[in-house]
Amino acid sequence: MEAVLQLQKIHSDSLKQQIVSQTEEAFLAHAHFGLGLWMRNKWGLWRGSALAEYFHTLGIYHPDDMSGILLTCFYRSLRQQDWQLDQQVKHYQAYWQAAAEHTQRWENDPMYRATLQARQDSSVRAHNAQLLITEKLALPPGARLRVYIDYQCGLLPMGERTLLEGEVVQWVGDDIEMKITRYVDARKKAG
């Protein structure tokens, strides 16, 4: 593929050595928004260039997928590995097929949608519980706190806040009981 030969030409030997010192996964993750973005823009993968049309003949339509294949082929060429182009194409096609099936089921199967929403809600609850545990570990009784309380009523100008400083007394469920040692009202500071 001419594009891979171009990539080999424009990279110095020292940069190629840095690339091959990485795993394929690390290189692809690092290069997607750098070299991959450059290829997508410079080589017209968004605009239907001849290279994009070539990928269309393979059944690859998204520029991110095109640049991903190019990056993988480039990496494998540097490592003198088989590109396995057919497997790469099948991988991206399977991804888009699964995405289309998911969208179809999401839009037309209420039980499928409810099941996934329940999983997501459960995942969010578990994540929030983990954050709370982390906060409790970071803020044990005696820990010093400095927090700002924003005014929430319509009578005061927005942006005014009260500073509270103090220490954690205890956790009561998901809330902190705090001994306030300093209170600074923003309205009283001005003037």
Side-chain angles (χ1 to χ4, degrees), residues 59-155:
I60 299 296
Y61 301 99
H62 198 289
D64 284 344
D65 302 343
M66 296 173 197
S67 64
I69 289 172
L70 291 169
L71 290 168
T72 300
C73 291
F74 175 53
Y75 178 86
R76 290 177 181 175
S77 73
L78 295 178
R79 306 267 314 202
Q80 299 177 346
Q81 298 172 336
D82 181 47
W83 294 358
Q84 299 177 334
L85 184 59
D86 289 343
Q87 288 179 328
Q88 291 186 66
V89 167
K90 287 177 184 174
H91 166 79
Y92 287 107
Q93 289 173 337
Y95 168 83
W96 288 108
Q97 177 64 35
E101 289 170 5
H102 162 74
T103 300
Q104 173 70 20
R105 285 190 71 193
W106 180 267
E107 291 172 352
N108 298 305
D109 184 345
M111 288 300 293
Y112 177 77
R113 187 171 48 250
T115 300
L116 291 182
Q117 285 175 327
R119 279 189 205 154
Q120 182 179 4
D121 292 347
S122 174
S123 176
V124 168
R125 281 192 301 275
H127 176 73
N128 288 344
Q130 185 61 44
L131 286 176
L132 183 60
I133 290 168
T134 302
E135 283 182 0
K136 286 182 178 183
L137 290 173
L139 297 169
R144 303 282 305 154
L145 284 176
R146 180 181 191 147
V147 296
Y148 288 92
I149 308 297
D150 291 324
Y151 292 112
Q152 298 292 320
C153 71
L155 301 175

Side-chain angles (χ1 to χ4, degrees), residues 174-185:
D174 295 349
D175 298 320
I176 293 178
E177 186 178 306
M178 176 179 163
K179 177 182 176 187
I180 297 172
T181 57
R182 184 168 178 233
Y183 170 91
V184 179
D185 189 330

